[in-house]
Amino acid sequence: MNEKTRWIALEGAVNARDLGGLPTTDGGATRFGRIFRADNLQGLTPGDVSLLVGELKLRHVVDLRSNAEVSLEGPGPLTRVSEVTHHHLSMFAEGGTHTDVEADGIDAEKVLPWQERGLDDDLRVTGFYFGYLRDRPDAVVAALRAMALNDGAAIVHCAAGKDRTGVLSALALEVAGATREAIVEDYAATGERLEGVLARLRGSTTYRDDLDSRPADDHMPRPRYILQFFNVLQERFGGPMAWLESHGWTAEDTAAMRARLRD
């Protein structure tokens, strides 16, 4: 990776990129090498771990997967690296031992954010995105705080690195002062790697059946999804910053995130 590309070349992940190099509202750009985003990190090779921890100075992993996903897939090779601190912060309300649901009696295989179907596709996706904030505001704020820690780089990930990771990355960039156009561009960039992401997930019994039940295009991260998410926050709360502040986000938190992602 260098400043000509935000993508991070890994053997065991296909949707890893840097949140640096994005334009900000004051004419600057976000900083490289501070916060990364990725898909599932289960398949990282020793070479990948060496690149992330050694060269890129990764020190914090923010894992947004459900308890079910971690239980079924495993915590990943970075959990065995002493220099790295893990922050497991599910974006789902989890009432049972293994489920992303409010009671043990609901299907334990429902571990993905896109598995519930809605009548309208835009509302379905936005509903899930706002659902993270509605159901786990504590985890959202804690994840952003972990991403803003200043003792080395942080990486935030889920399964595809698209929905949960997309929302947290968008909020981090919003706090840092990235332009809305840049936030949307970053969100949509996963579409460039979607084929590889879906191929990896289909290799796991945890995700395969759900993915095979729907066309690949149904998983495309369309700009209108993240824009509608921001519109919902604006209409209901006065914007993403107002929502964060209503859940304990402080001026010190904002300063920490801006120090991480800004010159």
Side-chain angles (χ1 to χ4, degrees):
M1 184 192 70
N2 56 51
E3 294 198 7
K4 294 181 181 179
T5 176
R6 298 195 301 118
W7 294 104
I8 303 172
L10 299 172
E11 296 178 80
V14 298
N15 192 22
R17 60 185 181 273
D18 199 312
L19 292 188
L22 296 172
T24 56
T25 56
D26 62 357
T30 55
R31 301 179 74 173
F32 279 90
R34 299 305 180 89
I35 301 178
F36 313 131
R37 56 175 293 175
D39 49 334
N40 201 344
L41 301 178
Q42 295 304 111
L44 293 182
T45 66
D48 293 335
V49 172
S50 179
L51 171 65
L52 289 168
V53 178
E55 184 175 336
L56 299 182
K57 307 303 180 186
L58 180 68
R59 295 298 180 266
H60 295 277
V61 173
V62 181
D63 185 349
L64 305 179
R65 295 177 300 162
S66 68
N67 289 338
E69 288 168 283
V70 175
S71 177
L72 293 168
E73 294 287 292
L78 286 171
T79 60
R80 299 189 289 272
V81 178
S82 60
E83 298 98 319
V84 176
T85 299
H86 275 72
H87 310 263
H88 179 216
L89 296 159
S90 173
M91 292 292 101
F92 298 104
E94 304 195 47
T97 303
H98 297 297
T99 65
D100 276 326
V101 296
E102 295 179 354
D104 287 327
I106 302 178
D107 189 351
E109 294 182 356
K110 291 187 176 181
V111 296
L112 292 177
W114 53 72
Q115 286 187 304
E116 295 292 338
R117 305 296 190 257
L119 295 177
D120 179 86
D121 197 50
D122 284 351
L123 292 178
R124 174 183 62 82
V125 175
T126 300
F128 274 115
Y129 290 1
F130 180 69
Y132 308 151
L133 278 62
R134 179 197 62 212
D135 295 337
R136 292 302 310 275
D138 55 336
V140 171
V141 171
L144 289 170
R145 285 174 173 156
M147 293 162 69
L149 293 171
N150 64 6
D151 56 333
I155 192 166
V156 57
H157 81 97
C158 52
K162 175 173 71 78
D163 298 310
R164 291 166 285 185
T165 297
V167 167
L168 266 294
S169 298
L171 289 173
L173 290 168
E174 177 77 11
V175 173
T179 66
R180 187 59 54 82
E181 292 79 7
I183 294 172
V184 172
E185 177 186 344
D186 175 70
Y187 169 80
T190 289
E192 301 174 32
R193 302 294 176 96
L194 187 62
E195 182 177 354
V197 168
L198 298 181
R200 288 193 67 222
L201 293 179
R202 285 192 177 98
S204 166
T205 57
T206 303
Y207 306 107
R208 184 185 305 128
D209 289 346
D210 179 69
L211 294 176
D212 286 345
S213 70
R214 303 173 63 193
D217 187 66
D218 203 23
H219 301 293
M220 185 65 67
R222 292 176 171 83
R224 67 179 184 270
Y225 296 158
I226 199 68
L227 286 171
Q228 189 170 346
F229 167 72
F230 277 115
N231 288 339
V232 169
L233 291 184
Q234 186 65 44
E235 292 169 4
R236 296 188 185 182
F237 302 97
M241 293 304 300
W243 182 90
L244 285 168
E245 290 163 7
S246 72
H247 290 88
W249 188 261
T250 67
E252 289 76 17
D253 291 325
T254 295
M257 183 66 77
R258 292 194 173 192
R260 289 292 284 157
L261 281 175
R262 298 288 295 277
D263 291 329

